[in-house]
Every structure is written in C-alpha cells, then in structure tokens.
Amino acid sequence: MSQHYWSPVVRGLVPYVPGEQPKVANLVKLNTNENPYPPSPKVFEAIHAAVNDSLRLYPDPDASALKKAIADYYAVDSSQVFVGNGSDEVLAHVFLAFFKQAQPILFPDISYSFYKVYCGLYEIDYRTIPLNEQFQIDVADYHHVNGGIIFPNPNAPTGCLLSLAAIETLLQANPDSVVVVDEAYIDFGGETAISLVNQYPQLLVTQTLSKSRSLAGLRVGLAVGQAHLIEALERVKNSFNSYPMDKLAIVGGVAAFEDKAYFQQTCQAIIDGRELLAQQLKDLGFDVLPSAANFVFARHPHKEAVQIAAALREKAIIVRHFKLPRIEQFLRITIGTEAESQALVEALKAL
Ligand SMILES: *Cc1c(COP(=O)(O)O)cnc(C)c1O
C-alpha cells in the first residue's frame, strides 16, 4: 500500500544519503567537508543589512548582483554565469539540460555519489570509468561515444587533482558532448578550468560556496560556461523554480566573493592543515592519497577502516567511511581546525 500512489520513477529512486549532522555538543565533525572557519565577517554584515521589510518582496529572479560579482571575480561576462540553490541544484539542472541523451554519460567509478542519483531521477543512462591503480582519472580512458562527461576536480572522495592540460586533452578529444568539471574543492590548491571556457563551447565548470567559502548553510552554487550553455540552464531553472536564490543568499554570496583577503587566508590555513595532517597520518603508517582538497583519503595497511571509524566515534570524532568496492579500506577525513586535527591524531595514536 505504501507505494500505491507513487509514480513508477519514484518507486525506482535510490536517493542520495548526506553525511550525518549529529546534534551532539563538542563533536569533532570531520565527515562532510564543511569549512572549520566561519564565513567572512563581510557576509554577516551584508546578511544583517538585508534583514528588513524588503523580505516581503520576492527576490531578483535572475540574482543579477550575484552573477555580476562572480563574473567580475572570474573576468567573464554575466551571461556566462548561472547560479543555484547549492551546486547540487545546479548539477541537477545540468543533468536535465545536457545529459538526457541517447548515449550514456561517463563518470569515474569512484566519484561524487550524487551523479548516479540524478541519472535515476531523470532516467539517464550512465557508464562508469574505473580510476587507474593510483586512484587517478586517466583521460585516455574516456574515448567512448557518450552523451556527456562529468567528474569532480579534485575528485571526491579521493582528493586527487587532474591538471588543466589533461582536461584540455579530454576536451579536444570530445567536442560533441558537454564536459562538466565539478570544482567543489578547486580553491584548495587546484587551478580552475574557467580559464578554458571561452575556448571550448562544450565546457561547463560548476563550483560551490559551501566548502572554500564556509557557506554550506546558505546554499549557493554556480556554473560558468559559454552563454549558449547558460541559456539551457536558465530554461530548466525557469521551468522549475523562478526564485531559487533568496535575498540573503544573494547578498551573502556577493560579499563572499568581494572579500578576497579573508578567502585566501582561510583557504591557506586549510592547505597548511592538510599538509600537516597528511604527514602525521603517514607517520602513523597510513597510505594517504595526494590531496588538493579540504580532506584527505587514507587507509591503514593493517587496520580495518570500519573499526577505526567506530573507535573514533567512541571518542566523539566523526569521519566518513564509504562501504563501496575498491575504497572500503579508506577513510575520508575533513581538514578541521588545528585543534580538531590534533584531537584526531591523538585518538589515532591511542588506537
Ligand atoms: C559538496 C559537493 C557538492 C555540493 O555542494 P553544495 O553546493 O553544497 O550543494 C557538489 N559536488 C561535489 C563533488 C561536492 O563534494
């Protein structure tokens, strides 16, 4: 009875399961790649100033102030920028706008698990391409007829970075379908592919303010590409929700892009914390994949990942474990504050 009224597609859905957000005090929360530092003080000022009578009115359906701030930041035209309620929403629109094709889309076997979920929702065929032995994307493996290609760069949950040169090789070999680079973690040491969008009409780059700009709670994501791709996304958005960006998200997002100094300072602190933690984990005997993200992906040659995760949890430290083929022995550990990383290292030493 419970599914009696459901449409067939809903019966078949396998929804994404977000990392836990436990309501426990004093937790060392290293499981969802949130930023340990607060948002820029300028974001708070902008949001406070926008809490007024004008909330009575609908926001700008085009979020043009936010698009302009992003366009200025990346030196592109506003017509090349799309914004949405988190990059998850942007990605959902991307799948419908570009990937619902006769041929399957391609993405890595070990990657962001939401991609399969969108394929289920929009009834899109996909084919996964295995990462190589070093858990890296090899673009030579993507020479297949396809309805589109998507991968995170750096990849999640491995943290491994693909060079811009490799991305260009892929674009040159694949001119006829859209290639999406999901740059959720690019600010922690990678180089954005936005510099390539004017050369490649099939390239779309997505980003989020959730990780490097400490605004996971505000829900702001974006895409940059040539105007013809953005127009397709606007068509989907305006067939779904005219006002995905509320007034507070628009002004907060603008302030986040304007405060470059704070952004650079917090990103650098996370990069320094990552290099230190990676070394400490190696000293404890872990294999640590090279990371360009705000997390590390590590395995211990003699200890079961599930058991390490359970033992850490006893000490109120939460990390992410994926019960998936090839990566069952790995833990994904978000870079926290110096104190949080030290608490983790002490707990691991005690184990
Ligand atoms: C976190 C993440 C996102 C989603 O970010 P939101 O903007 O918070 O929706 C997208 N892609 C990858 C690879 C991520 O890790």
Side-chain angles (χ1 to χ4, degrees), residues 86-88 91 112 115 152 156 182 184-185 208-211 219-221:
S87 67
D88 284 340
L91 289 168
Y112 187 38
Y115 301 156
D182 176 353
Y185 302 102
T208 174
L209 278 65
S210 297
K211 291 19 187 281
R219 312 305 304 132
V220 183

Side-chain angles (χ1 to χ4, degrees), residues 215-282:
L215 287 170
L218 201 63
R219 312 305 304 132
V220 183
L222 61 106
V224 179
Q226 291 190 13
H228 62 99
L229 297 181
I230 304 306
E231 196 185 327
L233 290 171
E234 296 290 351
R235 288 175 76 115
V236 175
K237 172 247 174 193
N238 289 316
S239 305
F240 178 77
N241 178 2
S242 310
Y243 305 105
M245 311 309 295
D246 64 65
K247 287 192 176 192
L248 307 183
I250 293 171
V251 295
V254 169
F257 273 98
E258 285 175 351
D259 194 351
K260 286 186 194 159
Y262 183 87
F263 165 71
Q264 282 162 2
Q265 186 193 325
T266 48
C267 285
Q268 194 55 51
I270 288 170
I271 293 168
D272 295 344
R274 177 185 71 216
E275 297 312 309
L276 179 63
L277 180 63
Q279 190 53 53
Q280 289 172 316
L281 291 172
K282 285 178 193 165

